[in-house]
Amino acid sequence: MSSLHHDQSGFLAGLKVLWVDDDAVFLEIAKATLNKIDQDIDVRRALNGQVALQELERACPDIVFLDINMPVLDGWEFLKNLKKARFKISFPICIVSSSIDPIDREHARRFSEIKLFIEKPINYQKLRSALALLVDNSGEEVGVDVNK
Amino acid sequence: MKASNDKQGMEARLNQIIQQHSVLQDYVQTQKPNDLWLYDVAAKTEFLSHSFWTLLGYYAHDEDVRKRSPYLFSHYEDTLQSLLAKAKSEPGVFHSEMLLYQNRHGALLPLKCVVFGVSETGTETDYIFGAHLKIDIGVSEETARETSAQDGNTSKGLDLPAANELNQVLRAMNKCFPGAEVFLISPDWEIEFSNTAQSKTFEQQFSRLQNDALVTVQLNFIKAFEGGQAEFELVSGSIHESFHIFPLFASEGYVKSALCIIENVTEQKKHIEALKESEAHLKVATQLAKIGYWELDIASGVFTFNEQFINILGVSPDYFGGLKVPAERYAEEFLLDEDKPMIQEETRMAIETDDPGYSRYVEHRFRHKSGEIRYLAARFFVVRDNDGKVIKTVGANQDITERKQAEQSLKRLIDKTSDQNARLRDFSFIISHNIRSSVANLISLSDLLTEQPDNSQFVRMISDTANNLDQTIKNVNELLNFENDVGGQSRHICYLREVIDRAVNLNKNLIEEKGIDIQIYISANTQVMAFPAYIESVFYNLISNAIKYGVNENSRKIILGQEACEQGVHIYVQDFGDGLDLEKQGEKLFQLGVRMHSGNSGQGLGLFMTKHQIEAMDGKIWVESELNKGTRFNVIFTS
């Protein structure tokens, strides 16, 4: 389905995004890029899995962008903890990493919540396509990459 | 041929047989043989009377259990056997042959041997009656004297003319020494007989010899003329000759002539030399290869070693009092307790095996006499008796210590290299991840800056990312240097208080900025033997970690202290900050690329390097921590 259709209808306004990455500079870039797509996207940031879990307790987002290699609680540990969490997981998860190992892709099949992989760097086009897929919830299958 | 144990019984039987057979009575009375003997066909034993031993130069009282074989020239064994066979197949008839003996003193003793088969049933030969008669020319002075003393006269009951007897002796010599030169020489140096040349005198006979050799031969002939015998070898050119010189006594007791036999032993010598040489080569080869041979007698549990094996153990045969060593003693003194069950099991398997081609190869350690632990490779097989039962294990052992040591050092090198490779692989993964992250940020930021060239926040972020990238590259260098350094450094005395003060000083700005209270309880004379560069790095990392991650709003205190320790010097770095969840993170703490705290400052290298540096100095590091109470890193430098 074309992302332009959603774009034009302004469907992204008010979208709540949680972005989990240990790189503070990258989080700034992600927020700037998302807000370029739509000024009204609500972007919350977490520096590791532990902080992300605390954020989720507070409020449930529409989409989670997740890095794998992080201190304290890495991406996989975060996902395991998520399954044990009290709240319902109603949001799709997108893995965003600077290097996607085939082993990581295999690993990801264990988590039905993972809908997408994105490899860094990110840019306007890549993120917009990703959002279109995730919001439309059409990328059920793990391994749909948006890398352009 | 066995000597009879029942001597008296046999002697009685001999007398009985003579009484029963008038032909034998007549023979004894008329021929007066020098001795009589009896052979029991069924028992294959013979009785030789003391007269026979007197002929050979023994007294009556020391004749017990002797056999004739050592005195009979070996070539005449066959003659004797064929004579017995004739008596057996044709009883009731006399047969005779000359047998050549050598008496106790070395003189030749030709005896006419007469046999007569006696059948008690009338069909098969049960006993063989035997007699010896002296032949005149070969009677030694001593034998003659003893025989005279015993018989009261010198027997001359010969039925052959003297010349024939001499010929028989010479023929006998030809038979004993085939192809040899045989001649008789008189005390006035005249050649009386020669089977080769027509020489008349000693000089002619030995014209081929050089002066020195000639003198040797002459001296030995003189010895024979005086009643002695001689055996010696001469080398002329490439020819080796073996000389045997015997005195021949007249009945009156003087030496009538000397019998000389010369054998050409050149070929034989060559074979012996070749054999000696190859034996010598084999010995050198086994010594060089450190190969020892052994046999284990299963019934007695006693080893027989060769000298080389004993040398491998670091002792000499004197140590064991010979080459035989009880298995228990060998195991006790030379085997290691850990290896004994395996060796016992191998021995058990060898005893119980049904496999006809059973052969095993085992390697085990042994304790060399010097105390050094060395390695043996043993290859062995089994020897069975007629019933197929294993009676021996026989093997060759090789000292393979040098090979084992080389293997072990190779293994250590491989382990070290694999370890290093694994670390470098992990590290390159982390580095590539970090570089890629920074580059990805730079690409994204340049996109953003294209659209908003004036955004100062983006410019600052470019600068942060560039610094991050720079730190990553520095880490690559640091780790590569660390890998190169391992093993290439030498230890020096390091005063820990000085090292710690320097590390604190390097963090001075941060300490002041954060208002940290560092307390150091380490005395000025605490010292360790260490690689100075490593020890500086270890304390710099531990202290800067404590400064970066060990302080919070509640505590700004860091303590460096020392604890009593038997193994060496125990130092700790303690903070009272957030602490770590060791259950979750304890295992990962010292792994490469694992960061315990968020933010961009750490790349997961510090504690990994610290641990490896401490271990490279044979020390150890461990952590104690509790959430919200603080963390304590402990280091022991072994003394």
Side-chain angles (χ1 to χ4, degrees):
Chain A
M1 200 174 288
S2 164
S3 59
L4 287 172
H5 165 75
H6 300 292
D7 207 11
Q8 281 160 355
S9 67
F11 78 103
L12 294 173
L15 188 74
K16 291 194 286 265
V17 169
L18 173 63
W19 206 302
V20 193
D21 199 301
D22 66 319
D23 183 346
V25 171
F26 178 75
L27 286 177
E28 287 297 331
I29 294 166
K31 183 175 164 29
T33 312
L34 282 173
N35 287 144
K36 209 171 81 181
I37 294 167
D38 195 316
Q39 191 66 40
D40 294 331
I41 296 176
D42 174 17
V43 184
R44 281 188 287 146
R45 289 163 286 181
L47 275 168
N48 60 51
Q50 186 105 32
V51 179
L53 285 171
Q54 287 160 10
E55 282 292 324
L56 287 174
E57 292 268 341
R58 284 206 285 148
C60 193
D62 298 314
I63 298 170
V64 170
F65 289 97
L66 181 67
D67 187 16
I68 295 168
N69 299 307
M70 288 180 294
V72 187
L73 201 65
D74 69 15
W76 302 124
E77 289 291 322
F78 165 79
L79 285 162
K80 274 193 238 164
N81 278 274
L82 200 60
K83 291 201 160 192
K84 291 186 258 170
R86 291 188 293 275
F87 48 81
K88 189 170 178 290
I89 306 161
S90 56
F91 45 83
I93 294 171
C94 175
I95 301 285
V96 186
S97 175
S98 57
S99 47
I100 297 175
D101 195 313
I103 296 166
D104 288 340
R105 276 177 194 276
E106 200 52 45
H107 202 149
R109 294 188 183 277
R110 296 182 205 174
F111 301 95
S112 58
E113 300 82 3
I114 299 174
K115 304 294 182 193
L116 203 60
F117 281 102
I118 298 180
E119 197 164 340
K120 292 178 186 175
I122 53 165
N123 57 30
Y124 178 88
Q125 282 299 329
K126 206 187 265 188
L127 267 192
R128 204 181 59 171
S129 305
L131 287 174
L133 280 167
L134 291 165
V135 169
D136 198 38
N137 207 17
S138 57
E140 294 93 347
E141 210 175 307
V142 171
V144 177
D145 283 12
V146 180
N147 280 332
K148 286 177 184 172
Chain B
M1 202 183 296
K2 287 188 284 184
S4 170
N5 288 331
D6 181 17
K7 222 160 47 131
Q8 285 176 346
M10 284 286 274
E11 189 169 14
R13 191 85 197 94
L14 175 62
N15 289 328
Q16 208 182 353
I17 285 169
I18 296 169
Q19 292 304 317
Q20 284 167 355
H21 297 79
S22 56
V23 60
L24 295 180
Q25 275 182 45
D26 286 352
Y27 178 80
V28 173
Q29 276 164 17
T30 58
Q31 299 300 320
K32 300 195 189 319
N34 297 83
D35 82 303
L36 297 177
W37 50 277
L38 187 70
Y39 181 72
D40 182 337
V41 175
K44 291 183 183 170
T45 56
E46 69 173 350
F47 161 72
L48 289 155
S49 72
H50 67 258
S51 312
F52 176 71
W53 296 110
T54 313
L55 283 175
L56 285 182
Y58 288 94
Y59 293 101
H61 67 266
D62 60 3
E63 74 189 46
D64 274 355
V65 294
R66 256 182 243 113
K67 290 181 190 173
R68 72 167 90 186
S69 47
Y71 306 94
L72 183 64
F73 273 88
S74 60
H75 291 82
Y76 282 87
E77 280 284 359
D78 292 346
T79 312
L80 176 63
Q81 289 306 325
S82 69
L83 205 52
L84 291 173
K86 276 184 196 167
K88 209 177 141 188
S89 62
E90 237 184 300
V93 182
F94 283 103
H95 299 278
S96 70
E97 281 284 355
M98 191 197 76
L99 297 183
L100 189 66
Y101 290 92
Q102 190 173 23
N103 80 3
R104 185 187 184 182
H105 311 289
L108 289 177
L109 179 65
L111 293 176
K112 182 181 174 183
C113 181
V114 178
V115 293
F116 182 90
V118 178
S119 172
E120 297 198 320
T121 55
T123 50
E124 286 181 12
T125 302
D126 301 301
Y127 288 96
I128 296 167
F129 163 88
H132 283 119
L133 293 94
K134 285 198 288 190
I135 298 173
D136 189 33
I137 60 161
V139 183
S140 77
E141 186 183 15
E142 197 180 0
T143 310
R145 192 173 58 242
E146 281 167 14
T147 312
S148 307
Q150 200 177 316
D151 297 349
N153 65 356
T154 303
S155 172
K156 293 198 175 185
L158 297 177
D159 51 4
L160 291 166
N164 266 349
E165 288 148 18
L166 179 61
N167 279 337
Q168 279 203 41
V169 172
L170 294 171
R171 272 209 308 278
M173 290 296 104
N174 270 332
K175 206 170 160 186
C176 292
F177 302 97
E181 200 178 320
V182 180
F183 61 93
L184 281 173
I185 192 161
S186 68
D188 50 8
W189 304 99
E190 276 184 9
I191 305 291
E192 294 175 335
F193 170 83
S194 167
N195 70 343
T196 52
Q198 295 301 313
S199 314
K200 293 286 175 207
T201 64
F202 177 82
E203 284 79 9
Q204 284 171 348
Q205 181 73 24
F206 291 106
S207 57
R208 68 179 187 279
L209 294 180
Q210 298 288 317
N211 245 355
D212 286 359
L214 199 62
V215 171
T216 305
V217 175
Q218 272 177 323
L219 287 173
N220 280 294
F221 268 102
I222 290 166
K223 195 173 154 192
F225 295 143
E226 286 167 355
Q229 62 157 345
E231 275 183 35
F232 58 95
E233 282 183 12
L234 281 183
V235 184
S236 38
S238 59
I239 309 290
H240 285 256
E241 286 177 318
S242 172
F243 285 70
H244 308 262
I245 303 176
F246 304 95
L248 293 179
F249 292 92
S251 305
E252 292 77 13
Y254 63 87
V255 175
K256 212 164 80 175
S257 37
L259 174 68
C260 180
I261 299 145
I262 306 168
E263 283 181 288
N264 185 331
V265 291
T266 312
E267 284 304 307
Q268 211 177 325
K269 276 277 162 191
K270 274 186 196 163
H271 288 308
I272 291 170
E273 287 303 320
L275 198 63
K276 271 188 189 164
E277 200 178 341
S278 82
E279 269 176 6
H281 286 166
L282 185 66
K283 198 175 173 192
V284 171
T286 55
Q287 274 170 355
L288 285 177
K290 297 187 178 170
I291 296 175
Y293 297 98
W294 54 267
E295 281 185 19
L296 173 64
D297 183 77
I298 303 293
S300 63
V302 172
F303 274 112
T304 305
F305 297 142
N306 75 344
E307 209 172 322
Q308 180 59 26
F309 184 77
I310 291 177
N311 292 342
I312 288 173
L313 300 174
V315 291
S316 69
D318 291 346
Y319 179 79
F320 292 119
L323 300 175
K324 292 199 182 297
V325 182
E328 268 181 34
R329 180 177 176 194
Y330 170 67
E332 180 64 32
E333 289 188 41
F334 295 96
L335 295 183
L336 272 76
D337 287 343
E338 302 91 302
D339 293 350
K340 282 179 193 169
M342 181 273 287
I343 295 164
Q344 280 163 356
E345 178 61 13
E346 283 292 340
T347 309
R348 188 192 64 76
M349 279 160 54
I351 294 169
E352 291 176 4
T353 182
D354 296 328
D355 179 1
Y358 190 79
S359 165
R360 295 283 293 167
Y361 174 84
V362 293
E363 290 182 1
H364 64 83
R365 293 165 295 177
F366 71 98
R367 197 180 296 104
H368 189 265
K369 193 64 195 155
S370 66
E372 186 193 353
I373 303 298
R374 298 182 67 86
Y375 288 84
L376 273 183
R379 209 178 277 283
F380 64 94
F381 58 92
V382 297
V383 176
R384 296 167 195 278
D385 64 8
N386 292 336
D387 302 328
K389 190 180 152 200
V390 173
I391 51 167
K392 272 181 189 175
T393 51
V394 178
N397 279 8
Q398 189 172 15
D399 186 331
I400 53 161
T401 309
E402 280 86 359
R403 194 190 86 197
K404 274 279 171 191
Q405 283 168 346
E407 277 174 12
Q408 282 165 354
S409 105
L410 189 63
K411 190 180 177 301
R412 276 196 296 275
L413 189 64
I414 289 170
D415 287 350
K416 189 180 154 193
T417 311
S418 310
D419 196 33
Q420 197 174 26
N421 269 345
R423 283 205 302 273
L424 290 174
R425 196 180 52 233
D426 290 353
F427 186 66
S428 33
F429 178 77
I430 291 157
I431 292 298
S432 112
H433 179 269
N434 289 353
I435 292 174
R436 189 137 171 78
S437 299
S438 298
V439 170
N441 284 354
L442 289 175
I443 291 168
S444 300
L445 285 167
S446 71
D447 281 355
L448 293 169
L449 270 173
T450 312
E451 288 168 26
Q452 303 172 49
D454 299 332
N455 190 325
S456 63
Q457 195 198 358
F458 293 156
V459 175
R460 183 180 49 77
M461 279 157 60
I462 283 193
S463 159
D464 287 350
T465 307
N467 284 335
N468 230 10
L469 199 53
D470 182 48
Q471 186 57 47
T472 302
I473 306 297
K474 277 185 185 157
N475 286 341
V476 173
N477 285 334
E478 199 177 339
L479 192 89
L480 289 178
N481 286 336
F482 168 71
E483 294 291 350
N484 289 339
D485 274 358
V486 174
Q489 297 214 15
S490 60
R491 295 188 188 214
H492 297 279
I493 292 173
C494 299
Y495 289 94
L496 292 184
R497 180 62 196 243
E498 286 176 18
V499 172
I500 287 164
D501 286 345
R502 274 197 294 276
V504 168
N505 202 39
L506 284 170
N507 285 288
K508 206 169 104 187
N509 291 341
L510 210 52
I511 291 168
E512 281 173 6
E513 194 182 299
K514 287 191 166 188
I516 291 168
D517 168 23
I518 289 203
Q519 301 174 9
I520 303 170
Y521 302 103
I522 291 162
S523 71
N525 55 13
T526 302
Q527 61 183 56
V528 293
M529 283 298 283
F531 305 134
Y534 281 11
I535 209 121
E536 299 274 349
S537 163
V538 163
F539 283 104
Y540 176 78
N541 270 319
L542 290 177
I543 291 167
S544 55
N545 271 357
I547 292 169
K548 279 182 209 159
Y549 312 117
V551 295
N552 55 22
E553 297 113 27
N554 304 323
S555 168
R556 294 181 192 285
K557 188 164 72 175
I558 293 170
I559 296 177
L560 279 101
Q562 183 172 359
E563 279 199 7
C565 175
E566 281 183 8
Q567 298 153 269
V569 177
H570 179 174
I571 305 287
Y572 62 87
V573 180
Q574 186 161 16
D575 67 54
F576 304 88
D578 296 340
L580 298 164
D581 185 350
L582 288 184
E583 246 178 61
K584 277 188 187 169
Q585 300 165 312
E587 277 180 23
K588 295 183 189 170
L589 198 60
F590 296 103
Q591 283 175 14
L592 187 60
V594 173
R595 290 157 300 160
M596 308 308 288
H597 302 87
S598 288
N600 285 325
S601 56
Q603 298 211 350
L605 195 62
L607 281 178
F608 163 81
M609 298 263 288
T610 300
K611 182 173 192 281
H612 279 271
Q613 285 167 335
I614 290 169
E615 286 174 355
M617 297 183 291
D618 304 317
K620 65 173 181 179
I621 180 168
W622 74 100
V623 66
E624 296 164 87
S625 187
E626 205 174 321
L627 276 175
N628 302 319
K629 288 200 172 166
T631 304
R632 175 167 141 148
F633 283 93
N634 298 278
V635 182
I636 288 180
F637 298 101
T638 51
S639 42

